[in-house]
Amino acid sequence: MKVVRLATTPSTQEVARDLPAGSVVVTDHQSAGRGRLGRTWETPPGTALLASFVLPARPLASLAAGVAVAHACGPRARLKWPNDAMLGGAKLAGILAELHGDRVVVGIGINLSWAPPGAAMLGAGTDRDALLERLAAELERWFAAPDAEVLAAWRERADTLGRTVSVELPGERFQGLAEDVADDGSLIVAGRTVAAGDVIHLR
Ligand code: BT5
């Protein structure tokens, strides 16, 4: 991986989108970090791993990235659909996968020494460069893995499956048991296929 390091930037996603596959942009601080669906990603300077990896596009890119993050963060990290990494039931890391032609820019924010109220962090003692290296290796591994392996690995780390969840869709909300992920990465809740949206773990 070719690493581009920046002291500060509005968002590593914007820098990475112009780079070739095999690049990664890392920064200490983002002034306009982005989440999904126009939401913001907040981290005080120097308290998180903030990186955007440019990878070849593949099906299930978002789930593959989630599996890679969970593996890089350790055995206790779990996954909330579609791809939040969780620690002890709280959000540890967020992933934003954006498709640009034949490349996908995978933005990853992992809390290390700070987290907003109710969220989790990996700990101030975490070696950020070692974590970046583990992340790069895991992404390479899971982006090369067959779909069936990605799905199996996702299920193994899933915190969402087997729970009652609330599904938030544009203009609709319903509750039900999160039964499985479908072959295309959709979540199956009470027999309904949810391709995009947010879920809230109820119990
Ligand atoms: C995400 O969005 O979880 C994807 C976040 C991706 C951030 C990385 S950092 C490197 C790269 N550059 C960027 O600009 N972005 C990527 P979403 O599922 O929409 O969750 C966003 C929500 O998480 C916010 O609305 C808050 O409620 C919450 N949140 C914000 N900052 C957080 C933090 N540091 N830790 C935990 N939750 C946070």
Side-chain angles (χ1 to χ4, degrees):
M1 282 256 163
K2 185 178 177 298
V3 185
V4 176
R5 289 180 192 273
L6 303 169
T8 182
T9 186
S11 161
T12 53
Q13 291 294 99
E14 305 331 310
V15 184
R17 64 175 294 159
D18 298 322
L19 300 178
S23 313
V24 55
V25 180
V26 198
T27 192
D28 284 340
H29 178 56
Q30 296 185 127
S31 51
R34 294 198 281 112
R36 296 178 300 128
L37 310 167
R39 295 187 285 239
T40 58
W41 187 255
E42 307 281 351
T43 39
T47 64
L49 176 70
L50 304 168
S52 293
F53 293 83
V54 189
L55 295 157
R58 63 156 293 158
L60 303 178
S62 185
L63 295 197
V67 170
V69 170
H71 281 234
C73 288
R76 289 176 56 228
R78 317 290 299 168
L79 292 167
K80 175 173 176 280
W81 189 89
N83 59 6
D84 288 345
M86 313 287 286
L87 199 61
K91 184 160 171 169
L92 169 69
I95 300 170
L96 175 66
E98 296 181 310
L99 193 61
H100 297 288
D102 59 355
R103 296 167 307 131
V104 58
V105 176
V106 177
I108 298 169
I110 305 177
N111 299 324
L112 300 181
S113 59
W114 177 91
M121 60 182 122
L122 219 43
T126 309
D127 180 332
R128 203 159 30 149
D129 283 334
L131 180 59
L132 181 69
E133 266 182 41
R134 284 205 302 280
L135 207 46
E138 293 288 352
L139 284 165
E140 202 169 314
R141 170 182 173 200
W142 292 104
F143 267 69
D147 290 4
E149 277 181 32
V150 171
L151 288 167
W154 195 90
R155 286 186 185 104
E156 203 173 295
R157 288 297 188 110
D159 196 23
T160 301
L161 301 182
R163 282 180 186 271
T164 300
V165 299
S166 172
V167 180
E168 320 273 313
L169 298 174
E172 195 199 345
R173 171 188 303 203
F174 69 98
Q175 292 184 6
L177 182 69
E179 292 160 358
D180 200 1
V181 273
D183 287 350
D184 68 352
S186 300
L187 185 67
I188 301 168
V189 179
R192 284 179 64 176
T193 300
V194 181
D198 280 309
V199 302
I200 297 169
H201 290 171
L202 296 178
R203 53 184 181 270

